Amino acid sequence: MKHEHKTPDFFRRSTLATLTLLACSAWSQENATLAPVVVTGNPLGATELIAPTEQLSGTELLLRSQPTLGETLNGLPGVSSTYFGPNASRPVIRGLDGDRIRILNNGGASEDLSSLSYDHAVTLDPLLIERVEVLRGPGVLQYGGSAVGGVVNVIDGRIQREPLFGPQGGVAGKLDAGLATGNQERGGTVLLDGGNDRYSLHIDAMSRKTEDVAVPVDLSCTRGGVTSTARRICNSASESMGGALGGTLFFDRGYLGASLSTYDTHYGSVAEDEVDIRMRSSRLALEGELRELGGWLQSLKAQFSRNDYQHTEFNAGVPGTLFKTQGNDLRLQARHARLGALDGVIGLQFDDSEFSADGTEAYAPYSRTRSSAAFAHEELATAWGKLSAGARLEAVQVESFGTPGVARFTPATRSFNPGSYALGALWNVASEWQLTSNLSWNERAPKHYELYANGEHVATKAEEIGNPELGKERSTNFDLGAAWKRGAHRAQLQLFQHQFSNYISLEGTDLTTSPPQYTYTQVQARFIGAEASGNVRLLDAQHKLDLTLRADTVRAENTSTGQPLPRIAPQRVGATLVWSRAAWGARLGVDRYAGQDRVPEGQLATGGYTLWNAALSLRDKVSGLPALWYAWVDNIGNTLAYSSSSILTQTAPGRVPLPGRSLKVGLQLSF
């Protein structure tokens, strides 16, 4: 795969700016008052959440960061990934993927086409993430009734919501560089923040280049008519770069901020030896909040984003299908005054997006989706805990314009009025025990491709046919949790069920054709599962030693036919020993994946496997600057494994295993 684009000038300039600012680091450290970025799934800022929430930040995020968001989160309780090779992977939560999972950027919409097709990359790169959260429960209705599985919120700090520095001002930042062996990765980031108590300025930039990924099995690769064999995934190289400028003005009772970001990636499509993809995305975000307004209205917050995305597929260097989407998202949220023990927010959201695809692989027509919604989230404090309630009412219009020159696409319009409601409760049973429960009724309007698709989808190797008569997808969702905590010891168990009365599934209707024909069909479906996690403090003196434990399982079934649903992660159990002493830290982990033989009739089962990993870190100083040296090894045993939640296990069996052994080393400087 040949990469023609070069590192942009802004990345080189920002790197030079960083080196200049390093000379002023002593002054900046004296004046910086950096506070951690804290954003939770609770719009009221409560620390006790009724629904389970997973979050990664700091060293924990750094030591598990992968080139994609899906692989970075994979392995958290209840979270797997779509794994379309090392460059395109989206989170799967409790067996639910695609548009049943909402991906946000700082609480605002992140528009891309990663839910349309598995080979489309997410536009949020883990190199620039400060914190990422997996959210569930009544609070997610403020982001969308379709988020049955949950919300993934990525925080990058490009618009600061609180001043980072005092009146005297300051500069702070981070410089990170890393190398990896498995994919020969060379990557780095630059992040700068400056300002005072009245304004802040932000700049960040990243660059990453990788080669084909090493695996523990010989694989063939055909390019230019020549076939070779190597222990690497053919056509898995990539090159990515991106960055942003942001700024915020602070007032006595609020702030107003803006950011402009760009992301550009060029990567191979691992399903085909000579097909590569160039994706470009830009995003404008505006955000502001007024606080302490007095009277009935306590605060008012507004967020607006404009996203422009395009994705071009090249076959042997020749441009093929071009996918585009442009979208605007506006959120208005108000927090009302307390009514006794009742606290809450109400809001409005408006979304308008346009989609187009031109080329031989354009299997869905030009379309436009517009939606408007009103939502509310309320919490009632009690002597024994709290109760919560959420509601969201939407109006959605999905319009097909057809495609110029393509007769099989015809204009059509559908309108829907989804309504979603949720209830939750938290009971402080004792000083160390909590019980939680959530019940929700969700409705989701069909997506444009579920209604109007009509053509071959190369990523799934199937002809996909939409159904313009689809109704709203409805589900009843329930989970029950118990949590215990005593000092550093903790344990948590969550049981859940999602019951769909008309789940939108891609069902085989004619498997004798080439490619086989699949049609979007509504069926009854049920997802049942459990998640468990815990921590045991083994040593608590100069040496600290913790044993973290995790396990999850989900069973998903098309109850209309009695067949299992496809691409469901198997039962998983894992444990990690985490040691620290002064500036040193180390960890050794293992994850056991059971075999997955509960697959639809005619599909392939996947075998079980065990993956070991280890990491080492050292906090030090380099030229007087705080430094973090780190190293980690993934798949220590170089185990051959295939993901059961990846479409490639079925469409390209044996072709795209999980990465083999890889060592990554790096240095992070802070100032």
Side-chain angles (χ1 to χ4, degrees):
M1 174 174 141
K2 183 179 179 181
H3 303 288
E4 298 180 352
H5 56 284
K6 304 294 183 182
T7 302
D9 290 340
F10 80 83
F11 183 76
R12 291 194 292 268
R13 289 197 297 268
S14 60
T15 304
L16 292 173
T18 300
L19 296 176
T20 302
L21 286 166
L22 289 176
C24 305
S25 62
W27 174 82
S28 65
Q29 290 180 67
E30 290 177 1
N31 291 276
T33 57
L34 278 172
V37 177
V38 179
V39 178
T40 73
N42 188 310
L44 305 176
T47 56
E48 287 187 326
L49 299 180
I50 291 177
T53 299
E54 301 289 340
Q55 71 86 25
L56 294 173
S57 60
T59 304
E60 181 72 18
L61 174 60
L62 178 68
L63 293 180
R64 64 179 298 142
S65 180
Q66 300 291 332
T68 64
L69 181 63
E71 294 309 302
T72 298
L73 299 180
N74 185 30
L76 292 177
V79 183
S80 54
S81 78
T82 56
Y83 188 66
F84 199 89
N87 304 310
S89 180
R90 204 173 192 272
V92 178
I93 303 176
R94 295 178 170 179
L96 298 166
D97 62 3
D99 292 291
R100 300 176 188 93
I101 305 298
R102 192 81 189 269
I103 297 179
L104 305 176
N105 189 187
N106 300 310
S110 175
E111 299 278 356
D112 57 35
L113 294 177
S114 60
S115 63
L116 172 74
S117 181
Y118 300 108
D119 60 335
H120 291 215
V122 176
T123 57
L124 300 168
D125 196 288
L127 280 179
L128 292 174
I129 293 175
E130 291 186 5
R131 177 182 171 100
V132 59
E133 300 170 330
V134 180
L135 313 172
R136 306 182 184 99
V140 304
L141 290 185
Q142 62 182 310
Y143 303 117
S146 63
V148 179
V151 164
V152 176
N153 189 20
V154 172
I155 298 102
D156 53 35
R158 288 166 173 171
I159 297 178
Q160 298 294 340
R161 295 170 178 175
E162 298 286 349
L164 298 175
F165 309 95
Q168 70 276 25
V171 177
K174 181 175 68 177
L175 181 65
D176 193 312
L179 301 170
T181 61
N183 58 359
Q184 300 178 47
E185 176 183 342
R186 291 87 73 198
T189 60
V190 177
L191 186 151
L192 296 169
D193 286 292
N196 56 30
D197 63 342
R198 287 299 177 185
Y199 74 91
S200 71
L201 296 174
H202 173 96
I203 181 173
D204 63 56
M206 61 75 62
S207 179
R208 179 197 288 114
K209 186 172 183 179
T210 70
E211 304 301 332
D212 286 347
V213 174
V215 291
V217 64
D218 289 326
L219 299 173
S220 65
C221 185
T222 302
R223 287 171 173 161
V226 177
T227 299
S228 60
T229 301
R231 294 203 158 196
R232 293 191 175 272
I233 300 176
C234 181
N235 201 26
S236 58
S238 70
E239 186 171 358
S240 304
M241 58 192 65
L245 293 170
T248 307
L249 296 175
F250 300 106
F251 310 104
D252 292 339
R253 295 185 298 175
Y255 67 93
L256 179 64
S259 71
L260 182 62
S261 59
T262 182
Y263 184 62
D264 190 330
T265 182
H266 188 189
Y267 59 95
S269 176
V270 294
E272 301 162 283
D273 292 353
E274 294 187 287
V275 172
D276 55 281
I277 294 168
R278 177 75 178 270
M279 186 266 280
R280 296 175 178 174
S281 174
S282 62
R283 184 174 190 266
L284 169 67
L286 303 173
E287 184 177 320
E289 185 175 16
L290 294 174
R291 308 176 183 127
E292 301 175 19
L293 297 178
W296 184 82
L297 195 62
Q298 291 295 298
S299 66
L300 180 63
K301 182 177 181 180
Q303 288 180 284
F304 171 81
S305 63
R306 165 73 181 181
N307 296 271
D308 288 281
Y309 166 101
Q310 67 177 41
H311 163 120
T312 306
E313 299 184 356
F314 296 83
N315 193 338
V318 179
T321 306
L322 171 62
F323 295 88
K324 288 184 179 181
T325 185
Q326 297 86 34
N328 299 314
D329 179 75
L330 173 65
R331 285 173 47 83
L332 302 173
Q333 180 174 297
R335 182 170 183 173
H336 63 71
R338 282 183 174 270
L339 303 173
L342 186 68
D343 195 9
V345 298
I346 57 175
L348 300 172
Q349 184 170 4
F350 305 92
D351 187 273
D352 187 346
S353 62
E354 296 182 353
F355 165 84
S356 66
D358 293 286
T360 56
E361 297 177 15
Y363 67 96
Y366 287 22
S367 64
R368 182 179 185 181
T369 301
R370 286 175 285 186
S371 67
S372 56
F375 61 86
H377 178 86
E378 299 289 331
E379 290 191 357
L380 178 68
T382 69
W384 47 266
K386 61 181 174 181
L387 297 170
S388 73
R392 184 182 182 91
L393 299 175
E394 300 178 84
V396 181
Q397 184 182 78
V398 188
E399 185 175 6
S400 166
F401 301 115
T403 298
V406 182
R408 67 179 184 275
F409 296 132
T410 57
T413 302
R414 290 291 310 279
S415 296
F416 305 90
N417 296 107
S420 299
Y421 310 91
L423 297 171
L426 181 148
W427 179 21
N428 292 309
V429 181
S431 60
E432 298 174 342
W433 283 92
Q434 283 185 343
L435 295 178
T436 59
S437 180
N438 295 278
L439 176 65
S440 70
W441 301 266
N442 290 69
E443 292 186 331
R444 180 178 74 89
K447 299 295 290 186
H448 61 95
Y449 56 89
E450 294 171 329
L451 293 168
Y452 306 125
N454 189 354
E456 181 179 357
H457 187 182
V458 175
T460 60
K461 293 191 174 179
E463 182 182 8
E464 296 187 8
I465 307 298
N467 180 358
E469 302 303 319
L470 291 175
K472 292 179 292 185
E473 182 179 84
R474 296 184 176 92
S475 64
T476 302
N477 314 282
F478 177 74
D479 66 65
L480 181 66
W484 171 83
K485 185 175 182 181
R486 178 184 296 169
H489 304 292
R490 63 172 178 82
Q492 181 171 295
L493 173 65
Q494 204 78 21
L495 307 176
F496 65 87
Q497 175 174 297
H498 302 290
Q499 184 77 44
F500 290 83
S501 61
N502 49 4
Y503 182 85
I504 300 176
S505 176
L506 193 58
E507 296 285 304
T509 49
D510 189 349
L511 304 183
T512 63
T513 61
S514 181
Q517 185 183 92
Y518 287 76
T519 301
Y520 285 100
T521 306
Q522 292 190 291
V523 301
Q524 294 184 350
R526 181 174 59 240
F527 294 72
I528 299 177
E531 302 155 2
S533 63
N535 187 79
V536 180
R537 176 62 56 87
L538 302 175
L539 295 175
D540 196 2
Q542 287 186 334
H543 296 267
K544 285 185 170 59
L545 182 64
D546 289 90
L547 175 63
T548 66
L549 303 168
R550 56 197 171 271
D552 59 28
T553 183
V554 60
R555 184 183 180 96
E557 184 178 19
N558 178 339
T559 54
S560 296
T561 63
Q563 287 283 307
L565 288 172
R567 300 181 302 280
I568 301 299
Q571 294 179 357
R572 307 181 298 184
V573 294
T576 302
L577 280 170
V578 182
W579 169 85
S580 64
R581 184 180 187 276
W584 287 92
R587 59 185 63 200
L588 175 65
V590 59
D591 290 280
R592 173 62 188 174
Y593 291 71
Q596 181 57 284
D597 56 5
R598 293 198 77 255
V599 296
E601 185 177 347
Q603 292 199 3
L604 301 173
T606 53
Y609 53 91
T610 301
L611 300 178
W612 289 84
N613 61 83
L616 182 67
S617 62
L618 170 64
R619 294 192 179 277
D620 197 3
K621 287 198 172 183
V622 174
S623 300
L625 299 176
L628 175 64
W629 298 91
Y630 60 89
W632 77 77
V633 185
D634 287 326
N635 195 358
I636 294 174
N638 204 31
T639 300
L640 178 63
Y642 293 89
S643 170
S644 62
S645 56
S646 170
I647 188 70
L648 294 170
T649 302
Q650 307 300 327
T651 61
R655 181 185 176 89
V656 189
L658 295 176
R661 182 189 302 114
S662 180
L663 167 67
K664 183 169 183 177
V665 297
L667 170 64
Q668 185 180 95
L669 293 175
S670 302
F671 60 93

